[in-house]
Amino acid sequence: MLLKYKYKLKPHKSQSVIISNWLEIARKQYNYRLAERLNWFEATRTPVNACPLNVSVVPVEGIYQNIPEFR
């Protein structure tokens, strides 16, 4: 048996202003990050049958810098 619950928010006027501000900030952040990702994609685009050997997203040194060495 599956139980489902529905909740309905009934914020006061001041709470609804705060919630709308937070949603607006989240929307702007999402759109900024999406544009950043699309710009990176456009900058590094290559033909389908080619491998971009000159493009590196993260330097090789940066990959292992925070991993402790175990011997």
Side-chain angles (χ1 to χ4, degrees):
M1 174 167 66
L2 296 173
L3 296 177
K4 295 183 181 182
Y5 298 97
K6 286 187 179 183
Y7 297 96
K8 188 172 186 177
L9 293 177
K10 295 182 181 179
H12 299 291
K13 182 70 174 170
S14 62
Q15 290 172 328
S16 93
V17 169
I18 292 170
I19 290 170
S20 67
N21 286 340
W22 276 102
L23 290 174
E24 183 67 18
I25 290 170
R27 183 187 65 80
K28 287 180 180 179
Q29 183 66 234
Y30 176 82
N31 288 335
Y32 176 80
R33 297 295 176 192
L34 180 62
E36 193 174 56
R37 187 175 179 185
L38 292 174
N39 289 339
W40 174 85
F41 179 72
E42 289 293 327
T44 59
R45 180 180 282 188
T46 58
V48 175
N49 62 351
C51 178
L53 298 176
N54 61 351
V55 176
S56 176
V57 177
V58 178
V60 175
E61 298 82 23
I63 295 173
Y64 298 107
Q65 71 183 6
N66 295 326
I67 301 173
E69 291 184 25
F70 292 101
R71 298 182 193 254

